[in-house]
Amino acid sequence: MHFAPFCRVSSHRVPRRCAGGHSGLTLTSHAEPIMIQQIVSHTPTYVWALLAFLLYRGVLASRDREISLQKLFIIPAVMVWLSLSSMNEHGALGGGVWLVWALGVAAGVALVWRLGSGAVIVVNRAAGTVRQRGSWAPLMLMIAIFSTKYVVAVLTAMHPEMQQDLAFAAAVTTMFGLFNGVFIGRMVRYVAAWLLQPEATVA
């Protein structure tokens, strides 16, 4: 696995980039303890901008609203991108990282499909919209993915050897897969309702 986009390590206070060349958190490998305020203050602005966007979208998702089918794909796509940007084939799992992630996704999709089998989805094909029931679950999931990525970035910047720890890599990859699977599962349910209802009616 690879968590460079959210972190940059500094040795003896001289900045250097993590593998992957992305700038980000500046940590120190000095003997001094790394303080939380140091980590926060050296987090790139784009990370906080991304968090603000996720919070905004999460609050919107908490309210009942009509949304176009195309817009339903935005958040799942962003969440998948966040997860996949943290993975490659050079970590402890090797090429198996994609299989572990895919299994997590499948489990998440199956869980959503099973728990939401009786849900009512209102489709208005004439207007090109789907009635989305408000829920705080998307916000919690988005924060979970963001927090996991952030914390893992900090941990692996402080302890690079963790990227070669099989159990750690498998656990994090599975978590990302499950989170993504829930988002994808919700999207699949809406798409299925859309396809099954040629006219504005209740699925």
Side-chain angles (χ1 to χ4, degrees):
M1 298 190 70
H2 171 59
F3 305 97
F6 273 42
C7 71
R8 183 174 61 190
V9 178
S10 164
S11 179
H12 301 291
R13 297 178 182 171
V14 178
R16 69 177 178 83
R17 291 184 176 183
C18 292
H22 298 278
S23 62
L25 293 176
T26 299
L27 306 177
T28 78
S29 58
H30 217 45
E32 301 174 2
I34 298 173
M35 305 300 291
I36 293 178
Q37 55 264 36
Q38 288 179 284
I39 296 173
V40 172
S41 65
H42 289 91
T43 299
T45 303
Y46 77 85
V47 174
W48 301 126
L50 174 61
L51 177 59
F53 170 74
L54 295 179
L55 291 174
Y56 168 72
R57 296 293 301 192
V59 171
L60 285 182
S62 70
R63 306 166 184 165
D64 289 358
R65 62 188 180 127
E66 287 194 359
I67 184 172
S68 68
L69 186 65
Q70 292 83 356
K71 288 184 177 180
L72 284 174
F73 288 82
I74 294 177
I75 290 302
V78 171
M79 294 298 99
V80 169
W81 169 77
L82 272 179
S83 297
L84 295 185
S85 66
S86 295
M87 297 183 285
N88 64 27
E89 300 178 356
H90 303 295
L93 292 172
V97 67
W98 309 115
L99 175 60
V100 174
W101 178 79
L103 289 174
V105 169
V109 171
L111 179 64
V112 171
W113 194 266
R114 181 179 179 85
L115 294 179
S117 59
V120 174
I121 300 175
V122 179
V123 174
N124 186 343
R125 296 199 62 160
T129 61
V130 174
R131 182 72 175 175
Q132 186 177 54
R133 176 176 294 180
S135 171
W136 289 105
L139 176 60
M140 291 187 290
L141 284 168
M142 286 187 279
I143 296 304
I145 292 178
F146 180 91
S147 300
T148 299
K149 186 176 178 68
Y150 192 94
V151 170
V152 169
V154 172
L155 290 176
T156 54
M158 294 170 63
H159 306 286
E161 68 278 5
M162 293 183 71
Q163 297 195 56
Q164 300 303 320
D165 186 291
L166 183 61
F168 176 78
V172 173
T173 303
T174 301
M175 284 177 60
F176 279 135
L178 282 170
F179 292 150
N180 289 159
V182 172
F183 276 108
I184 293 172
R186 284 168 56 89
M187 184 184 68
V188 169
R189 284 185 52 245
Y190 283 113
V191 171
W194 179 276
L195 294 176
L196 290 173
Q197 299 299 323
E199 302 190 5
T201 185
V202 176

